[in-house]
Amino acid sequence: MTTLFKAPAKDKAALEEGAALSPRFDGSGLVTAVVADSHDNEILMLAHMNEEALRLTIETGIAHYWSRSRNSLWKKGETSGNLQMVDEIRFDCDQDAVLLKVRVGGADATCHTGRRSCFYRKVVTDGGQTRLEIDAEPRFDPTTVYTDH
Amino acid sequence: MTTLFKAPAKDKAALEEGAALSPRFDGSGLVTAVVADSHDNEILMLAHMNEEALRLTIETGIAHYWSRSRNSLWKKGETSGNLQMVDEIRFDCDQDAVLLKVRVGGADATCHTGRRSCFYRKVVTDGGQTRLEIDAEPRFDPTTVYTDH
């Protein structure tokens, strides 16, 4: 496997203002990825990338992640058809988080529950009680798509 | 300290489809927070919240986080004036990530480098070489704002 990335700069100014892509993978070898739709910036999901997932994403233009639950490389949408075509990749100031701007294929749904975004519930507070309220409908039926779940 | 939150549901359907706010704080007691501007969904930063930060954010409507580098509660913008007024709080399917939609006060800048967003660099690939390119200007001078840095 080729390595695209430099070791993280020890110098704060180089890390924050430099042109070197030197991701700060954590103790588990991961950076956090925020995924937003290119068209309207809707935030679709949060995931994690190891070095290989980041390299494959840059090289292929299709989003790859590291699944912490399955402990394996994860080409998002391989089962559901909701692949993510990457328009832009951005890094944050201290290079431990990456932002992907994507177009979503298939049913244009990212969440495994069938909804467009994983953030389909808002926090509502009434009379001191706090609860979650769903305000998005599924775009596909997960029971017919993920037959091995 | 009052506790607003229930223990995470063991049942997947309850966790994903239920109305109970039961954040899945990790081994360090944190959930990941994505912060976006209410007006245009621009992604401003990624941060972390412990139970107290989440409770204070819900109760006060001003974003609070847990600073992993300083190991302390962090009222974002207390030094710089760039406070985050929270319009909406959303949770993701498995309740280990929170999305805040905010309006930013002061210079309308979130990054400690003075820029609007922490994601001020995009990944550029030319002839097999990958680098970062800055495409946003500072909105304030951090050297005059953070005098203890």
PDB file of all heavy atoms in Angstrom, chain B residues 1 23 32 38 42 55 80 99 104-105 109-110 120 125 142-143:
ATOM      1  N   MET B   1     -25.728  18.041  40.053  1.00  0.00           N
ATOM      2  CA  MET B   1     -26.052  18.204  38.618  1.00  0.00           C
ATOM      3  C   MET B   1     -27.213  17.290  38.260  1.00  0.00           C
ATOM      4  O   MET B   1     -27.183  16.098  38.541  1.00  0.00           O
ATOM      5  CB  MET B   1     -24.802  17.830  37.789  1.00  0.00           C
ATOM      6  CG  MET B   1     -24.958  18.091  36.316  1.00  0.00           C
ATOM      7  SD  MET B   1     -23.367  17.877  35.445  1.00  0.00           S
ATOM      8  CE  MET B   1     -23.300  16.105  35.233  1.00  0.00           C
ATOM      9  N   PRO B  23     -28.053   9.496  24.918  1.00  0.00           N
ATOM     10  CA  PRO B  23     -26.787   9.590  24.183  1.00  0.00           C
ATOM     11  C   PRO B  23     -25.847   8.447  24.553  1.00  0.00           C
ATOM     12  O   PRO B  23     -25.757   8.063  25.716  1.00  0.00           O
ATOM     13  CB  PRO B  23     -26.203  10.925  24.648  1.00  0.00           C
ATOM     14  CG  PRO B  23     -27.338  11.689  25.235  1.00  0.00           C
ATOM     15  CD  PRO B  23     -28.282  10.678  25.776  1.00  0.00           C
ATOM     16  N   THR B  32     -19.500  12.979  19.809  1.00  0.00           N
ATOM     17  CA  THR B  32     -18.919  13.902  18.836  1.00  0.00           C
ATOM     18  C   THR B  32     -19.990  14.893  18.393  1.00  0.00           C
ATOM     19  O   THR B  32     -21.132  14.516  18.162  1.00  0.00           O
ATOM     20  CB  THR B  32     -18.392  13.123  17.617  1.00  0.00           C
ATOM     21  OG1 THR B  32     -17.494  12.125  18.081  1.00  0.00           O
ATOM     22  CG2 THR B  32     -17.664  14.041  16.651  1.00  0.00           C
ATOM     23  N   SER B  38     -26.730  27.860  10.963  1.00  0.00           N
ATOM     24  CA  SER B  38     -28.172  27.736  10.689  1.00  0.00           C
ATOM     25  C   SER B  38     -28.566  28.334   9.351  1.00  0.00           C
ATOM     26  O   SER B  38     -29.527  27.896   8.727  1.00  0.00           O
ATOM     27  CB  SER B  38     -28.992  28.497  11.737  1.00  0.00           C
ATOM     28  OG  SER B  38     -28.721  28.048  13.013  1.00  0.00           O
ATOM     29  N   GLU B  42     -23.252  25.771   6.365  1.00  0.00           N
ATOM     30  CA  GLU B  42     -21.780  25.674   6.319  1.00  0.00           C
ATOM     31  C   GLU B  42     -21.292  24.927   7.565  1.00  0.00           C
ATOM     32  O   GLU B  42     -21.698  25.237   8.682  1.00  0.00           O
ATOM     33  CB  GLU B  42     -21.170  27.080   6.283  1.00  0.00           C
ATOM     34  CG  GLU B  42     -19.666  27.127   6.459  1.00  0.00           C
ATOM     35  CD  GLU B  42     -18.910  27.275   5.133  1.00  0.00           C
ATOM     36  OE1 GLU B  42     -19.547  27.240   4.067  1.00  0.00           O
ATOM     37  OE2 GLU B  42     -17.682  27.420   5.192  1.00  0.00           O
ATOM     38  N   ARG B  55     -25.934  19.063  28.517  1.00  0.00           N
ATOM     39  CA  ARG B  55     -27.006  19.590  29.376  1.00  0.00           C
ATOM     40  C   ARG B  55     -27.011  21.117  29.361  1.00  0.00           C
ATOM     41  O   ARG B  55     -28.053  21.755  29.166  1.00  0.00           O
ATOM     42  CB  ARG B  55     -26.810  19.066  30.805  1.00  0.00           C
ATOM     43  CG  ARG B  55     -27.889  19.515  31.781  1.00  0.00           C
ATOM     44  CD  ARG B  55     -27.646  18.942  33.169  1.00  0.00           C
ATOM     45  NE  ARG B  55     -26.411  19.409  33.781  1.00  0.00           N
ATOM     46  CZ  ARG B  55     -26.262  20.589  34.391  1.00  0.00           C
ATOM     47  NH1 ARG B  55     -27.279  21.422  34.475  1.00  0.00           N
ATOM     48  NH2 ARG B  55     -25.105  20.916  34.922  1.00  0.00           N
ATOM     49  N   SER B  80     -13.160  34.823  22.652  1.00  0.00           N
ATOM     50  CA  SER B  80     -13.144  35.550  21.375  1.00  0.00           C
ATOM     51  C   SER B  80     -14.415  36.371  21.137  1.00  0.00           C
ATOM     52  O   SER B  80     -14.435  37.252  20.278  1.00  0.00           O
ATOM     53  CB  SER B  80     -12.978  34.559  20.220  1.00  0.00           C
ATOM     54  OG  SER B  80     -14.132  33.732  20.117  1.00  0.00           O
ATOM     55  N   LEU B  99     -25.631  17.001  16.171  1.00  0.00           N
ATOM     56  CA  LEU B  99     -25.476  18.074  15.185  1.00  0.00           C
ATOM     57  C   LEU B  99     -26.095  19.333  15.765  1.00  0.00           C
ATOM     58  O   LEU B  99     -27.265  19.322  16.168  1.00  0.00           O
ATOM     59  CB  LEU B  99     -26.188  17.681  13.883  1.00  0.00           C
ATOM     60  CG  LEU B  99     -26.399  18.760  12.829  1.00  0.00           C
ATOM     61  CD1 LEU B  99     -25.081  19.362  12.362  1.00  0.00           C
ATOM     62  CD2 LEU B  99     -27.175  18.191  11.634  1.00  0.00           C
ATOM     63  N   VAL B 104     -23.522  32.358  14.866  1.00  0.00           N
ATOM     64  CA  VAL B 104     -22.261  32.697  15.540  1.00  0.00           C
ATOM     65  C   VAL B 104     -22.197  34.199  15.790  1.00  0.00           C
ATOM     66  O   VAL B 104     -22.446  34.996  14.882  1.00  0.00           O
ATOM     67  CB  VAL B 104     -21.053  32.232  14.698  1.00  0.00           C
ATOM     68  CG1 VAL B 104     -19.741  32.585  15.402  1.00  0.00           C
ATOM     69  CG2 VAL B 104     -21.131  30.735  14.434  1.00  0.00           C
ATOM     70  N   GLY B 105     -21.857  34.575  17.022  1.00  0.00           N
ATOM     71  CA  GLY B 105     -21.750  35.987  17.382  1.00  0.00           C
ATOM     72  C   GLY B 105     -20.402  36.578  17.012  1.00  0.00           C
ATOM     73  O   GLY B 105     -19.606  35.961  16.298  1.00  0.00           O
ATOM     74  N   ALA B 109     -16.863  34.081  13.317  1.00  0.00           N
ATOM     75  CA  ALA B 109     -15.728  33.208  12.992  1.00  0.00           C
ATOM     76  C   ALA B 109     -15.639  32.150  14.077  1.00  0.00           C
ATOM     77  O   ALA B 109     -15.730  32.469  15.263  1.00  0.00           O
ATOM     78  CB  ALA B 109     -14.439  34.017  12.934  1.00  0.00           C
ATOM     79  N   THR B 110     -15.465  30.908  13.685  1.00  0.00           N
ATOM     80  CA  THR B 110     -15.473  29.799  14.635  1.00  0.00           C
ATOM     81  C   THR B 110     -14.074  29.254  14.887  1.00  0.00           C
ATOM     82  O   THR B 110     -13.758  28.830  15.987  1.00  0.00           O
ATOM     83  CB  THR B 110     -16.416  28.689  14.121  1.00  0.00           C
ATOM     84  OG1 THR B 110     -17.752  29.190  14.188  1.00  0.00           O
ATOM     85  CG2 THR B 110     -16.301  27.417  14.943  1.00  0.00           C
ATOM     86  N   TYR B 120     -10.942  25.082   6.445  1.00  0.00           N
ATOM     87  CA  TYR B 120     -10.557  26.139   5.500  1.00  0.00           C
ATOM     88  C   TYR B 120      -9.557  25.671   4.453  1.00  0.00           C
ATOM     89  O   TYR B 120      -9.063  26.464   3.666  1.00  0.00           O
ATOM     90  CB  TYR B 120     -10.006  27.359   6.251  1.00  0.00           C
ATOM     91  CG  TYR B 120      -8.904  27.047   7.235  1.00  0.00           C
ATOM     92  CD1 TYR B 120      -7.578  26.916   6.812  1.00  0.00           C
ATOM     93  CD2 TYR B 120      -9.185  26.864   8.575  1.00  0.00           C
ATOM     94  CE1 TYR B 120      -6.572  26.606   7.703  1.00  0.00           C
ATOM     95  CE2 TYR B 120      -8.182  26.541   9.478  1.00  0.00           C
ATOM     96  CZ  TYR B 120      -6.883  26.419   9.038  1.00  0.00           C
ATOM     97  OH  TYR B 120      -5.884  26.102   9.928  1.00  0.00           O
ATOM     98  N   THR B 125      -5.190  17.375  -5.697  1.00  0.00           N
ATOM     99  CA  THR B 125      -4.251  16.391  -6.250  1.00  0.00           C
ATOM    100  C   THR B 125      -3.810  16.844  -7.640  1.00  0.00           C
ATOM    101  O   THR B 125      -4.641  17.084  -8.514  1.00  0.00           O
ATOM    102  CB  THR B 125      -4.904  14.995  -6.319  1.00  0.00           C
ATOM    103  OG1 THR B 125      -5.343  14.624  -5.008  1.00  0.00           O
ATOM    104  CG2 THR B 125      -3.899  13.948  -6.800  1.00  0.00           C
ATOM    105  N   PRO B 142      -6.011  36.288  15.390  1.00  0.00           N
ATOM    106  CA  PRO B 142      -5.956  35.503  16.626  1.00  0.00           C
ATOM    107  C   PRO B 142      -4.883  35.989  17.607  1.00  0.00           C
ATOM    108  O   PRO B 142      -5.035  35.810  18.812  1.00  0.00           O
ATOM    109  CB  PRO B 142      -5.664  34.071  16.141  1.00  0.00           C
ATOM    110  CG  PRO B 142      -5.220  34.188  14.730  1.00  0.00           C
ATOM    111  CD  PRO B 142      -5.778  35.469  14.193  1.00  0.00           C
ATOM    112  N   THR B 143      -3.842  36.634  17.103  1.00  0.00           N
ATOM    113  CA  THR B 143      -2.768  37.060  18.023  1.00  0.00           C
ATOM    114  C   THR B 143      -3.232  38.202  18.931  1.00  0.00           C
ATOM    115  O   THR B 143      -2.672  38.398  20.011  1.00  0.00           O
ATOM    116  CB  THR B 143      -1.498  37.512  17.260  1.00  0.00           C
ATOM    117  OG1 THR B 143      -1.840  38.643  16.454  1.00  0.00           O
ATOM    118  CG2 THR B 143      -0.956  36.399  16.387  1.00  0.00           C
TER     119      THR B 143
END
